[in-house]
Amino acid sequence: MDERVREHARIIVDHSIDLQAGDEVLLSGGELAEDLLIALHEEIGKRGAFPIVWSRPSRAHRAFMHAMDPEVYGEVPDTLEAMVENVDAAVGIRAARNTHEQGDIPPEKNTAMATLFQPIQSKMMAKRWVGTQYPAPGNAQDAEMSTEAYEEFVWAAINKDWEAQREFQQPMAEKLDAGSEVHIVSGDTTDIVMSIEGTVAKNDHAENNLPGGEVFTAPVPDSVEGEVLFDMPLMAHGREVQDVYLQFEEGEVVDFSAAKNEEVLAAVLETDEGAKRLGELGIGMNRDIDRFTDNMLFDEKMGDTVHMALGRAYEENVPEDCDVERNESAIHMDMIVDMSEDSNITIDGELVQQDGTFWFEEGF
């Protein structure tokens, strides 16, 4: 087996989920990720824990979604709820043969099921969990790379010194945590201001996302003002949505458009009231992710990007004892702005990034 796969598995169990003896670990990932699943079983066994595998092939899920009537499903299955209640940790592995397999599922079905499963997702996110990527051909194709080149890209971004990455990101985490207002400008369109007063900034060094490499917080829900053009594509419900434009007033989307698959964006915004507000602001800082690959797990971590997410805010950014309202929604949809040119970020009037370079980096 490729030693890079074994290193990937070790980082997952030791760093991302801090596996302990006796833990029950839910593993989800298809046959394309078999090598990583095998390596994880070995590492889990060495540590005296128990692997539990849940596989849901994308073609099978597509068949179910086309056949089902959302109005028939009033609650999640008892078996699935019990499994989520009882596991100690979870590892989700992405590995696609066809990243658009579910692209013809009606958007309203996707949003209905997201709403149904929101309570289970919230319970799982309260546990130790990580989502990661195995370099599969479908994902390589999206990135316009050969499978071999994509393997090198993925493992360069994943198999690294995460403590060093944490230290690199800490100055930005401290700026955001102490800050009150963020102002982002990019190109001719993006000019957006939001309050982060009272929220908690987090330093993502690959605990829940592998690769990690961002600093993120939550805007005060009704504080967002201005407009933003997300000039990098995103995948939503199996479809690529391009050039998402959003205009905010008092925190809520009051106008929107998209150059491609606008109806998907419209369906997302109609999920619930929280879907019309921002739940996250993230700043990418992983310099080993040096190109756009049409994969949000990687793209949002690029060092010359910012991303914002419609929908649910993370509890770690807005804990229960916080005075700020936490945005609630069944969805959390990340969207990216390229900050490499004609762009800047200021926090409380202080310039902290210019054209993708941070204030503490050479060339700022």
Side-chain angles (χ1 to χ4, degrees):
M1 183 182 293
D2 193 321
E3 182 56 32
R4 295 174 298 180
V5 180
R6 296 188 186 280
E7 178 63 15
H8 191 170
R10 286 191 289 268
I11 289 173
I12 289 171
V13 299
D14 290 334
H15 176 75
S16 298
I17 62 170
D18 188 24
L19 191 68
Q20 303 296 316
D23 279 348
E24 298 180 26
V25 189
L26 179 63
L27 305 176
S28 60
E31 61 181 12
L32 295 179
E34 183 180 32
D35 280 359
L36 182 54
L37 285 168
I38 291 170
L40 281 168
H41 276 71
E42 290 178 347
E43 298 299 330
I44 291 168
K46 289 176 184 176
R47 289 157 180 78
F50 300 93
I52 300 167
V53 178
W54 178 34
S55 178
R56 186 177 64 179
S58 59
R59 290 181 64 195
H61 180 63
R62 174 187 175 275
F64 169 74
M65 290 293 285
H66 273 292
M68 57 84 74
D69 178 358
E71 295 184 3
V72 173
Y73 296 89
E75 56 187 31
V76 297
D78 292 341
T79 302
L80 181 58
E81 188 167 23
M83 180 172 65
V84 171
E85 286 281 358
N86 286 293
V87 297
D88 300 290
V91 180
I93 305 168
R94 304 179 183 184
R97 180 174 284 109
N98 177 4
T99 58
H100 298 269
E101 187 65 60
Q102 299 170 30
D104 57 357
I105 297 172
E108 59 272 15
K109 285 194 173 185
N110 281 306
T111 55
M113 294 306 284
T115 301
L116 176 65
F117 278 84
Q118 182 186 6
I120 284 244
Q121 188 174 37
S122 297
K123 288 179 181 179
M124 183 59 77
M125 291 181 70
K127 298 176 183 284
R128 287 170 282 146
W129 62 273
V130 65
T132 192
Q133 177 73 52
Y134 185 82
N139 304 102
Q141 191 171 29
D142 277 355
E144 299 183 348
M145 301 171 73
S146 68
T147 303
E148 182 178 352
Y150 188 64
E151 289 174 350
E152 293 175 0
F153 167 81
V154 167
W155 282 315
I158 287 175
N159 294 345
K160 58 188 292 179
D161 184 340
W162 287 107
E163 180 56 29
Q165 184 69 31
R166 186 197 67 78
E167 292 177 2
F168 172 70
Q169 295 172 179
Q170 189 60 24
M172 178 57 78
E174 292 174 359
K175 285 279 189 188
L176 273 182
D177 202 48
S180 298
E181 183 180 88
V182 180
H183 186 190
I184 298 168
V185 175
S186 181
D188 297 328
T189 304
T190 297
D191 190 339
I192 190 167
V193 180
M194 63 193 72
S195 171
I196 55 171
E197 180 78 38
T199 61
V200 179
K202 303 300 289 187
N203 186 341
D204 165 32
H205 60 294
E207 292 176 303
N208 296 135
N209 285 282
L210 184 60
E214 65 170 295
V215 173
F216 63 99
T217 190
V220 176
D222 62 358
S223 73
V224 183
E225 296 283 347
E227 56 185 346
V228 55
L229 175 66
F230 298 98
D231 48 7
M232 291 189 172
L234 64 127
M235 289 291 291
H237 305 326
R239 303 187 200 182
E240 185 178 76
V241 186
Q242 295 181 356
D243 292 333
V244 170
Y245 167 82
L246 300 176
Q247 183 179 353
F248 291 88
E249 292 181 5
E250 297 182 352
E252 187 169 320
V253 175
V254 295
D255 191 20
F256 69 91
S257 66
K260 181 180 180 181
N261 286 323
E262 185 176 297
E263 69 278 8
V264 175
L265 174 62
V268 168
L269 288 167
E270 290 301 317
T271 303
D272 47 40
E273 284 303 309
K276 298 180 179 68
R277 298 179 181 273
L278 290 183
E280 180 192 6
L281 167 67
I283 300 174
M285 300 188 70
N286 188 335
R287 294 296 187 197
D288 286 310
I289 302 174
D290 57 0
R291 60 182 292 171
F292 180 75
T293 60
D294 210 9
N295 183 335
M296 192 61 69
L297 182 63
F298 290 80
D299 299 338
E300 69 174 6
K301 313 300 192 322
M302 290 174 64
D304 50 2
T305 64
V306 298
H307 59 277
M308 304 170 208
L310 287 170
R312 182 179 59 257
Y314 296 126
E315 188 171 348
E316 57 193 320
N317 295 130
V318 192
E320 289 185 2
D321 59 355
C322 180
D323 292 333
V324 177
E325 173 192 0
R326 180 158 59 93
N327 198 47
E328 297 280 2
S329 177
I331 62 103
H332 180 96
M333 189 173 81
D334 292 297
M335 301 164 290
I336 300 173
V337 180
D338 182 358
M339 300 291 289
S340 61
E341 296 179 355
D342 193 22
S343 303
N344 65 75
I345 304 172
T346 58
I347 299 177
D348 297 334
E350 178 185 353
L351 187 66
V352 298
Q353 189 194 66
Q354 180 80 48
D355 297 339
T357 303
F358 297 104
W359 82 94
F360 55 83
E361 292 184 295
E362 184 177 350
F364 177 75

